[in-house]
């Protein structure tokens, strides 16, 4: 089975926090290096990795060591 380096998840309004946490933990345990969870209503992104968590708001820039040279303003992600 192919395991991605980055898993991108969109939060659904009906999802409960424990369900989201279980998905994140399962992905990291499976070997995914980073899990990006997008919250469109808040326009926030949480980036989870082994032992680390980043909370990005609309004014922040999303970047990853797994994507050298790439970056994107969080505001642009939610403007689509």
């Amino acid at each position: 089975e192919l395991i991605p380096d980055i898993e991108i998840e969109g939060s659904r309004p009906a999802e409960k926090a424990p369900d989201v946490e279980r998905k994140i933990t399962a992905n990291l345990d499976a070997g995914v290096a980073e899990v990006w969870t997008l919250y469109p209503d808040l326009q926030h992104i949480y980036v989870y990795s082994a032992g680390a968590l980043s909370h990005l708001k609309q004014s922040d820039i999303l970047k990853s060591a797994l994507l050298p040279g790439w970056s994107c303003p969080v505001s642009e992600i939610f403007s689509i």
Side-chain angles (χ1 to χ4, degrees), residues 9-21:
E9 297 279 342
S11 171
R12 296 170 190 85
E15 279 187 307
K16 297 185 185 324
D19 296 331
V20 173
E21 287 295 319

Side-chain angles (χ1 to χ4, degrees), residues 42-65:
L42 300 172
Q43 297 193 351
H44 291 187
I45 299 173
Y46 287 84
V47 177
Y48 299 83
S49 59
L53 169 63
S54 297
H55 176 204
L56 304 174
K57 298 177 184 169
Q58 192 174 20
S59 60
D60 294 324
I61 305 292
L62 175 61
K63 53 188 168 184
S64 171

Side-chain angles (χ1 to χ4, degrees), residues 2-3 15 17 26 35 46 50-51 55 63 67 75:
L2 184 62
I3 305 296
E15 279 187 307
V35 178
Y46 287 84
H55 176 204
K63 53 188 168 184
L67 301 169
S75 61

Side-chain angles (χ1 to χ4, degrees), residues 3-8 28 31-36 47-50 62-71:
I3 305 296
D5 291 329
I6 300 171
E7 178 80 24
I8 302 171
L28 293 173
V32 175
E34 291 183 357
V35 178
W36 300 356
V47 177
Y48 299 83
S49 59
L62 175 61
K63 53 188 168 184
S64 171
L66 299 171
L67 301 169
W70 179 87
S71 66

